[in-house]
Amino acid sequence: MVNSRWTWEENKQFEDGLVEFAGDCPNRWERIAARIATKTAAEVEQHFAVLLDDVAAIESGVIELPEYDESDGFRSPESRKSPNRSEKKQVAPQRKVARPWTEDEHRLFLIGLEKYGKGDWKSISRFMVKSRTAAQVASHAQKYYARQEKEEENKKRRSIFDNTIAETSSSLASNLCR
DNA sequence: CATAGGGTTATTG
DNA sequence: CAATAACCCTATG
């Protein structure tokens, strides 16, 4: 092994690979490793084993994610609004204030996806991302997949606006002198 | 100061 | 229930 350290970028590619090539995918580690220039299939497989160990540790309660205080989950209209303005639509200030996902939560989410499959938000919430409800997990998944699709599109579809001056002028030149 | 991103809530299958 | 749409707040350029 040349370098056993995993950078943030490598980890991200690894996690994306886990999702793209599902658990029963043949040659899984090879294919994931193909996406990570600096890692071999063996290293990927080993990295996954470590991940499972972490999961075991989390599940046995060694690591505890902070459980969010839900009592403070509601927005107070006074908290940030200028008291000056006359009331316009004081409809339902009952919406919960958004709590951004932490990196750890997201990691657990990906592992849960791995273990219970896309769609079983209930199990993922109950056994992996205990700090989030099933609805929150589903919502997170929705955004997660939407974003992935968007990135995929950006890679695939090229607009003419992506052309650089260099490319444009060179092809222009070759087209002009037929 | 508009808007993309990322959350929650409502609606639908 | 899950999937999807609508909605909404906030960070950011």
Side-chain angles (χ1 to χ4, degrees), chain A residues 6-7 15 42 53-54 78 116 123 129 132 135 142 146 160 167:
Chain A
W6 283 70
T7 68
E15 288 166 355
D53 285 347
D54 287 347
E78 315 298 285
Y116 303 104
S123 296
V129 203
R132 297 285 178 171
Q142 185 181 35
I160 60 171
E167 291 168 1

Side-chain angles (χ1 to χ4, degrees), chain A residues 127-140:
Chain A
F127 304 123
M128 295 301 314
V129 203
K130 298 174 181 168
S131 50
R132 297 285 178 171
T133 70
Q136 286 176 308
V137 171
S139 166
H140 184 67

Side-chain angles (χ1 to χ4, degrees), chain A residues 1 15 18 24 27 40 46-47 57 59 64 66 83 85 94 96 109 114 125 128 141 147 149 155 160 163 165:
Chain A
M1 126 192 4
E15 288 166 355
L18 283 183
D24 54 350
N27 300 329
T40 70
Q46 145 94 7
H47 193 55
E59 283 179 331
E64 305 216 353
R85 210 176 286 275
Q94 299 283 37
K96 295 246 195 70
F109 161 75
E114 204 40 43
S125 164
M128 295 301 314
R147 167 170 255 275
E149 237 173 77
K155 278 182 193 169
I160 60 171
N163 289 333
I165 305 118

Side-chain angles (χ1 to χ4, degrees), chain A residues 92-110:
Chain A
Q94 299 283 37
R95 175 183 272 261
K96 295 246 195 70
V97 53
R99 179 167 68 98
W101 280 60
T102 71
E103 220 163 290
D104 280 341
E105 284 176 325
H106 180 64
R107 222 180 302 280
L108 288 177
F109 161 75
L110 290 176

Side-chain angles (χ1 to χ4, degrees), chain A residues 158 160-173:
Chain A
R158 265 182 62 112
I160 60 171
F161 301 120
D162 294 335
N163 289 333
T164 71
I165 305 118
E167 291 168 1
T168 304
S169 57
S170 66
S171 64
L172 185 70

